[in-house]
Amino acid sequence: MPGELDLAFVLRLVPYRDADLVVTLLTQHHGLISLMARGARKSQKRFSGALDYLTLIRATFKKPRSGMGTLTAAESARSYEKIRGDLAGYHLAMHFFEVTRLATREGDDANEPFLLLGHLLTLLERGGDRTSALRIFHLKTISHLGYAPSELACASCGAGLHESEAHLHEGGLICPPCGAGSGAPLSKGAVNSIVRATALPYENFSSFKLSMQVEREIGPVVEAALIRALGAEPRSLEQLHEMLKA
Amino acid sequence: MLARPIKNLIRELRKLPGVGEKTATRLALHILTAPPERAENLAHALTEVKERIVPCKECHQLTEDSPCAICASPRRDRTLLCIVEDQVSLISIENSGNFNGLYHVLGGRLSPMDGVGPSSLNIPDIKDRVRNLGVREVILATNPNVDGEATALYIKRLLEGTGAAVTRIARGVPMGGDLEYADSLTLGRAIDGRGTF
C-alpha cells in the first residue's frame, strides 16, 4: 500500500519510547490526524529533517480504519526560517498551532484552518504586524467554531449595529440594550474592527492594522471569547503575552 | 486473576514513561521470577537514587555531591560554559571528549504549548554565572529543532552586555554522511555555517 500523500503543518510532536514520535498534523485534505512516526528521533532518512514545527511538509502516511496510522515519510515543502529566528514570531506561531489543535477534531473538514495557518505564517514570515495577525487568527477561529459575529447585527434581537457600540458575547455581537448589565460596551471603532477582521479575505491580511487603542479595547474581550469557545485556556497564551510585551 | 501485590507492581511500573500494560506485566513477572537479591538490589537502587541524588547548585546537573565533580574540578576551563537542555545532552558531550569547560543544564527547553517558559527552566541564574566565573565563551548546545533554537535565541539575548562571546554548536552534514542524501534544510544550514578549512 503506497499510502496517502498530503501537505501538512505539524501541530504537535510528542516523544514516544526511545526513538518514536506521535505527530499531530493538520493536513490540507485529510483534516487533523495523529500518526506514529517510527524511528523519527533517530533516523533522519525518511523524514529528512522536516519533522518539526514551522515547516510545511509533504507527508506520506498510512491511515487504518481504526487506531493510529503511521507516518512513513515527510519532506519539507516550505520552511518558515524568519519566524524561527524571531522569538515573538515563534511564540505566536506556537500559539496558532496549539489553538488550531484545540479547535479542530479528527474527521472535521479542516481546509479553512489549514489555509488560515498558511496565510498567517506567510504574513509573519514577511514581517507583518504581529498583534493584528493574532487578532485575525483569534476572530477567525472563534468564527470557525460558530461563535463569532459574521455581520453587523445583534445576535440576540437582530438590530443593526452600524455605527453602534456593542458587547462581544458567546454567539456574537450584542447591542447595548440586550447586553445591559455586562459592563461597558465596545466602541464603534472596536466593533467595526472585530467584524472586519472576522470577514477579512486572506489576500487582505497584510493591509489590516489594528490601532493600539482598539487593540487595548478588544484584546481581552476577544481572548475571553476564544477561551469560552474552546472551553479551555491555551497554555501558550501567558508566554505569548510576555513575548509580545518585550 | 493476578494477586494484589502483582497488580500494585504493574500499576507502578506503568507510570514510567514509555511503559504500557504489556511491558509492565512482563517486567513485573520478570522481577517475580528473578532471584530475590535482584529485586532487593532494584528496590535499594530506587530508594538510594531518590535519597542521595541532588541537582548541582552550580550547573544543575544531577549529582551525589554539590557542587558536582565537573564544577569542583580544577582541571576544567572555567572560562568556557556549555549550555545544554538536559543531563543526557551533557553525557553525550562529555563522551565526545572534545569539551573541557563547565556546563549549565537548563532542565528542558522553551515549549509554549506545554506552558514552559524561561522561568520554568534554569535560565535566570545563567547571567550571574557568566559574570561570576568570568566566562569568555558561552556555547549554546540546545537541540537543533524549533524549540531548541528558540531557547538558544532567548539565552543569547539574555547574555547581551555580559562581554562573553555566544556561540552555537555547528549544524550540518553528519560525519560519514553523503551530500546526495542530505535534505535541503540541513545542507542549507551546513553551507550557512561553514568554517575556514
Side-chain angles (χ1 to χ4, degrees), chain A residues 8-163:
Chain A
F9 289 107
V10 177
L11 298 189
R12 189 84 168 124
L13 293 166
V14 178
Y16 184 73
R17 294 198 172 158
D18 279 353
D20 304 340
L21 281 174
V22 176
V23 186
T24 305
L25 299 177
L26 184 75
T27 64
Q28 189 170 21
H29 302 295
H30 295 77
L32 186 84
I33 42 174
S34 287
L35 301 163
M36 181 67 74
R38 297 200 190 282
R41 294 165 69 202
K42 251 187 196 167
S43 162
Q44 296 289 300
K45 215 171 176 183
R46 284 173 297 136
F47 305 109
S48 57
L51 215 48
D52 203 354
Y53 303 113
L54 290 172
T55 308
L56 178 66
I57 62 170
R58 273 186 214 95
T60 308
F61 55 92
K62 289 176 181 170
K63 187 93 183 84
R65 285 212 181 98
S66 63
M68 185 177 279
T70 310
L71 183 69
T72 53
E75 59 174 8
S76 170
R78 179 175 182 181
S79 178
Y80 296 89
E81 289 294 306
K82 282 191 184 151
I83 306 177
R84 283 170 177 245
D86 165 30
L87 265 180
Y90 156 79
H91 277 84
L92 202 49
M94 293 297 122
H95 178 67
F96 292 168
F97 295 149
E98 186 192 8
V99 170
T100 302
R101 186 169 48 84
L102 292 174
T104 319
R105 278 182 299 190
E106 292 208 19
D108 287 354
D109 176 6
N111 193 45
E112 280 277 320
F114 180 88
L115 292 174
L116 179 63
L117 266 186
H119 281 87
L120 284 172
L121 293 178
T122 302
L123 180 69
L124 294 181
E125 186 77 354
R126 290 178 182 161
D129 183 60
R130 295 182 192 123
T131 309
S132 302
L134 177 65
R135 296 307 167 214
I136 292 170
F137 172 72
H138 282 167
L139 285 160
K140 285 199 173 284
T141 302
I142 296 168
S143 171
H144 184 69
L145 290 166
Y147 289 103
S150 56
E151 53 183 312
L152 279 168
C154 174
S156 178
C157 69
L161 292 174
H162 295 275
E163 295 304 307

Side-chain angles (χ1 to χ4, degrees), chain B residues 107-125:
Chain B
R109 58 179 178 236
L110 293 182
S111 179
M113 284 193 248
D114 298 308
V116 179
S119 59
S120 316
L121 302 171
N122 299 318
I123 285 181
D125 60 336

